[in-house]
Amino acid sequence: MTPGNNGASTPEDDDPFGYLYADGQANGAQPPSGGYGYPGSVNRVRAVGQRQYGQQAAQQAPTAAYGQVPQQQGAYGQPSAHYAAPETLPGGAPTGRQQAQGGGGRGRGPNTKGLLIGAIAVVAAVVIGISVAMLGDKGDSGGDKAGGTAPTATRSSGPSPSTTDTAAPAGELPKSDAKALQLGGGASTASDVKGARSDGGVYVTNFNNVGASVTWNVNGIPADGKYTVYVGYTVPGKDGTATLTVNGSVSEQPVKLKNWAGAPQGDYEKGWTKTYNYVQLNKGTNTIKISCEQGNQCDADIDQLWLVKGWVGG
């Protein structure tokens, strides 16, 4: 026997790890059947180079807890059957925003529905505003065509009423109601008969007496010349006459108080009408008198007197 080598069963072969080396294997060293105080530990012993780190047998995997699925790890350096690189997934690797929102596709993206509703509301508001503006423009133009601002009414060519014997406004000739006239010879005023055109329906009555008169002191005649004096009156269905005096001169032409209205006999209310005489007036103040003289038929009521420039009549 070679000194120092007494076989596999010699004390030097008591090294429990001798089977791991080539000389120990040559001498017949075998793995021990039991651990040194650790039963079953010999089952985990592998020869050098035989163990693959990172790989675990399925039968040695720890028992999964109830309701959990056990996972297996692949060998070291080999891809796991349950793992795939993000770039190999459909759509590529998730972005940072998607990762922050959580995996599994449960992350919420932008609220596109809310943005769409907001955009539609803005567009609707703009369209409504434009429509209102267009309708307003059409309404304005239509108002102009239909009249828009009513044109200022032009003044009548006729004289305006006046209850005084003062001068009329510039450009107009004087006009007087019965209550502003100077009365004489028993003439008076009343308002019982309807239809008088004077202010308050007042007229001169009791004119059917010799000496009864109405006198109008006219101011504001713009120039010497020809004028027409009008007399408003009513007769009870029959013709009458009166005397005209201008600035103290008796006119050769009487005031013809005819039944131009065609009133029935005795009806003063339906006999209101007018008559006229040509006169020559002076610039400034003039006096016009109508009286009931001998030979006149003066059964009439008088409500107004007024002037028109020129000898016009009608």
Side-chain angles (χ1 to χ4, degrees):
M1 301 180 63
T2 303
N5 185 2
N6 298 324
S9 59
T10 56
E12 56 267 24
D13 293 331
D14 291 339
D15 185 1
F17 302 101
Y19 67 95
L20 298 176
Y21 306 99
D23 55 347
Q25 293 176 2
N27 293 327
Q30 297 293 329
S33 58
Y36 295 91
Y38 300 94
S41 61
V42 67
N43 294 331
R44 294 191 298 271
V45 178
R46 297 289 187 275
V48 176
Q50 291 181 354
R51 186 175 182 87
Q52 296 181 357
Y53 293 93
Q55 184 177 6
Q56 185 176 4
Q59 63 273 17
Q60 294 180 354
T63 303
Y66 179 78
Q68 296 182 354
V69 179
Q71 298 180 355
Q72 294 183 354
Q73 298 180 352
Y76 179 80
Q78 296 181 357
S80 172
H82 300 282
Y83 173 82
E87 57 271 15
T88 63
L89 297 175
T95 61
R97 179 182 295 273
Q98 291 174 340
Q99 292 176 355
Q101 292 175 344
R106 295 190 300 270
R108 295 183 60 185
N111 190 0
T112 56
K113 183 176 181 180
L115 294 176
L116 179 59
I117 294 175
I120 293 174
V122 171
V123 173
V126 172
V127 171
I128 292 174
I130 294 174
S131 301
V132 171
M134 293 178 67
L135 290 176
D137 293 340
K138 290 181 179 179
D140 294 341
S141 60
D144 293 339
K145 293 179 181 179
T149 302
T152 303
T154 57
R155 301 186 66 86
S156 172
S157 58
S160 60
S162 173
T163 58
T164 68
D165 58 355
T166 57
E172 297 181 5
L173 293 178
K175 184 174 185 178
S176 179
D177 284 345
K179 62 184 179 181
L181 298 174
Q182 182 180 344
L183 306 181
S188 62
T189 58
S191 58
D192 298 335
V193 178
K194 297 183 181 302
R197 291 157 295 186
S198 57
D199 183 24
V202 177
Y203 55 88
V204 175
T205 190
N206 296 326
F207 191 70
N208 191 21
N209 297 308
V210 176
S213 66
V214 294
T215 301
W216 183 22
N217 295 316
V218 184
N219 295 322
I221 300 303
D224 296 348
K226 297 177 179 180
Y227 295 86
T228 301
V229 58
Y230 280 85
V231 179
Y233 68 97
T234 182
V235 290
K238 61 181 182 179
D239 296 337
T241 59
T243 299
L244 174 64
T245 303
V246 178
N247 294 328
S249 299
V250 177
S251 173
E252 295 180 356
Q253 297 295 327
V255 178
K256 297 178 180 180
L257 304 174
K258 289 185 173 291
N259 184 23
W260 301 115
Q265 185 71 27
D267 192 347
Y268 284 89
E269 185 173 333
K270 293 182 180 180
W272 289 103
T273 184
K274 64 182 179 180
T275 189
Y276 63 90
N277 285 74
Y278 296 146
V279 295
Q280 188 78 27
L281 299 179
N282 303 321
K283 180 179 179 179
T285 302
N286 294 263
T287 300
I288 298 174
K289 179 182 177 181
I290 300 175
S291 61
C292 184
E293 305 296 339
Q294 287 291 343
N296 294 141
Q297 300 295 324
C298 308
D299 192 2
D301 294 336
I302 299 173
D303 64 348
Q304 288 180 321
L305 297 177
W306 68 94
L307 290 171
V308 175
K309 186 174 178 59
W311 290 354
V312 293

